[in-house]
Amino acid sequence: MAIAENLLKIKNSLPENVTLVAVSKTKPVTDLMEAYTAGQRIFGENKIQEMVDKWEQMPKDIEWHMIGHVQTNKVKYMAPFVQLIHGVDSLKLLEEINKQAQKNNRVIDCLLQMYIAEEESKFGLDEVELQNLLNSSTFNQMKNIRIVGLMGMATFTDNQNQIKKEFTHLKSIFDTLQKLKSENCELKTISMGMSGDYPLAIACGSTMVRIGSSIFGGR
């Protein structure tokens, strides 16, 4: 029962206001069910087809979070059930999510992914793009999505000061947007922190952490 033990240890260490997303990508359903039996109900996947397969096989009270980079042509496959999409990094993607949510008669919650790392490989919006998106008439007319927060990934480095600087930067963007309240935008979630850096992320204001290897072991 190593998975259950790991899970409970992490859950007990998290403040009450922090949501745990168990990152289950590449892991078999048996591993996820071990976490489910131990009480975990939120799972994060980074490939839509894998998430669909698991959704079909597993109990229906699970919240599925899409945490990877999303291609617009795949949105339709997860639109019937996905609870939260973490990596929304363009207006074009948001339009597709809105369209597919409408077809499924749903409102889909999304996080806008901010580019905070000093690495070329990470996706995300910069602050100008963020403002342009939120102020666009296209965005303001969307009825089937709801922006509930921001997500960011720190640089993959051992330099704690740099990671802290990036997390603090995301928190400051989040704080400046808190005043924004519209029908399709009310920021309450800040998703940052993974297995290697989640205690620091929480100290910097994270309300949602994405933890995989510390629960399920290495990939």
Side-chain angles (χ1 to χ4, degrees):
M1 286 296 281
I3 290 171
E5 284 166 27
N6 293 344
L7 182 69
L8 295 174
K9 198 165 94 181
I10 290 165
K11 276 192 162 176
N12 289 336
S13 75
L14 296 178
E16 268 183 28
N17 69 319
V18 175
T19 301
L20 171 62
V21 180
V23 177
S24 48
K25 61 185 184 185
T26 75
K27 295 297 175 184
V29 166
T30 48
D31 284 9
L32 277 72
M33 282 307 301
E34 198 174 320
Y36 178 88
T37 305
Q40 182 63 18
R41 291 294 179 271
I42 303 175
F43 292 90
E45 292 284 332
N46 73 338
K47 290 197 166 57
I48 290 173
Q49 191 52 55
E50 187 180 339
M51 184 167 74
V52 171
D53 292 345
K54 288 172 177 173
W55 170 70
E56 286 171 348
Q57 295 176 61
M58 292 183 67
K60 293 298 174 266
D61 61 338
I62 290 172
E63 273 189 32
W64 292 99
H65 289 204
M66 180 61 197
I67 59 170
H69 182 64
V70 179
Q71 294 170 293
T72 46
N73 63 342
K74 302 270 177 73
V75 172
K76 57 179 178 278
Y77 301 114
M78 65 175 171
F81 68 91
V82 69
Q83 192 76 28
L84 182 64
I85 300 174
H86 285 234
V88 178
D89 59 358
S90 71
L91 187 59
K92 183 175 165 239
L93 175 57
L94 211 47
E95 285 182 272
E96 183 62 23
I97 296 167
N98 187 65
K99 184 174 111 181
Q100 297 300 336
Q102 197 173 9
K103 283 184 181 174
N104 286 277
N105 202 20
R106 299 185 65 213
V107 174
I108 295 178
D109 287 347
C110 299
L111 302 177
L112 294 175
Q113 181 170 357
M114 299 302 298
Y115 183 84
I116 56 170
E118 291 181 20
E119 285 175 2
E120 285 303 310
S121 61
K122 300 277 196 294
F123 296 97
L125 301 157
D126 64 30
E127 288 174 72
V128 175
E129 291 167 332
L130 174 70
Q131 290 299 340
N132 289 344
L133 187 156
L134 293 174
N135 293 325
S136 70
S137 57
T138 307
F139 170 71
N140 287 303
Q141 286 161 16
M142 292 183 191
K143 299 278 188 275
N144 292 80
I145 52 98
R146 185 167 47 220
I147 302 299
V148 296
L150 302 178
M151 183 271 252
M153 294 167 78
T155 304
F156 189 67
T157 174
D158 291 330
N159 183 338
Q160 294 295 300
N161 288 333
Q162 185 178 344
I163 295 171
K164 185 178 179 182
K165 187 179 82 178
E166 291 166 3
F167 284 155
T168 305
H169 180 50
L170 185 60
K171 177 68 164 69
S172 72
I173 299 169
F174 180 82
D175 289 343
T176 57
L177 292 177
Q178 283 268 270
K179 302 181 286 291
L180 264 184
K181 281 191 173 53
S182 62
E183 275 183 42
N184 61 0
C185 183
E186 187 171 345
L187 302 189
K188 47 185 190 282
T189 300
I190 180 162
S191 171
M192 57 186 187
M194 300 188 286
S195 285
D197 56 19
Y198 75 88
L200 180 55
I202 291 168
C204 293
S206 175
T207 65
M208 183 176 279
V209 292
R210 308 177 299 274
I211 300 177
S213 54
S214 296
I215 297 171
F216 297 105
R219 298 206 150 54

